[in-house]
Amino acid sequence: MFQAVSYEGTRSEQHTAVLGQLSALIRDEPSAIANLANAAALLNVFMTDTNWVGFYLYDGKELVLGPFQGLPACIRIPLGRGVCGTSAAEKRTMVVDDVHAFPGHIACDAASNSEIVVPIIKNGELYGVLDIDSPIKNRFDDEDRVFLEKAVSLLTEQLEATIPL
């Protein structure tokens, strides 16, 4: 059973605690959707000053909305379009301090001002992206990037052992 805890200590110590929780949540669970849903919920509880945490999954043509926490969102995102589509196409993490200055930004939630997107690569192929939005400009930094890339790495290890979507 999961129990909410107060995250104390340095950011690094907090990140270590959350990664431990994520590992415990997804360990031995064969459903990719269940694991992504729990990961979105955990990150949403942990990360302050965010208004959307979730996943877009690649269907072979475009990104399609997956498990998330937040307001209803855009359902389909073409590769190369917006922050999520660009991160997916380039297979690299993107930290955007001001989404309104990002060429081709897709505004799913008008309250979002900054964003971080981490691509999920399963068996060498694009699987999807982790997308987190904030109403605060410059919300995400390099420490967030490293932490979220580690979270995605944990998920990817489990996804490689799970049943297909």
Side-chain angles (χ1 to χ4, degrees), residues 32-102:
I33 293 297
N35 286 334
L36 294 173
N38 267 336
L42 176 63
L43 292 172
N44 187 58
V45 167
F46 170 69
M47 296 198 73
T48 59
D49 300 319
T50 60
N51 58 319
W52 202 89
V53 176
F55 297 91
Y56 281 92
L57 306 176
Y58 183 58
D59 72 355
K61 296 183 291 185
E62 61 192 346
L63 296 171
V64 180
L65 183 64
F68 71 93
Q69 300 278 309
L71 293 177
C74 302
I75 296 172
R76 296 181 181 274
I77 299 175
L79 291 188
R81 183 149 183 260
V83 181
C84 287
T86 302
S87 174
E90 296 179 9
K91 295 182 180 175
R92 69 177 177 94
T93 299
M94 301 196 67
V95 177
V96 178
D97 294 333
D98 179 357
V99 295
H100 306 291
F102 189 88

Side-chain angles (χ1 to χ4, degrees), residues 98-114:
D98 179 357
V99 295
H100 306 291
F102 189 88
H105 169 64
I106 301 169
C108 295
D109 182 345
S112 294
N113 285 307
S114 63

Side-chain angles (χ1 to χ4, degrees), residues 87-163:
S87 174
E90 296 179 9
K91 295 182 180 175
R92 69 177 177 94
T93 299
M94 301 196 67
V95 177
V96 178
D97 294 333
D98 179 357
V99 295
H100 306 291
F102 189 88
H105 169 64
I106 301 169
C108 295
D109 182 345
S112 294
N113 285 307
S114 63
E115 185 171 5
I116 185 167
V117 180
V118 181
I120 304 168
I121 310 300
K122 177 182 174 184
N123 298 322
E125 300 293 324
L126 179 65
Y127 184 86
V129 298
L130 165 62
D131 178 26
I132 303 178
D133 296 352
S134 173
I136 299 170
K137 289 183 179 178
N138 302 301
R139 160 60 182 88
F140 305 103
D141 61 19
D142 199 54
E143 195 169 352
D144 292 314
R145 179 192 60 77
V146 170
F147 161 64
L148 293 170
E149 286 176 345
K150 287 178 182 176
V152 164
S153 180
L154 284 173
L155 283 167
T156 303
E157 290 172 19
Q158 186 63 19
L159 287 171
E160 291 176 353
T162 62
I163 55 176

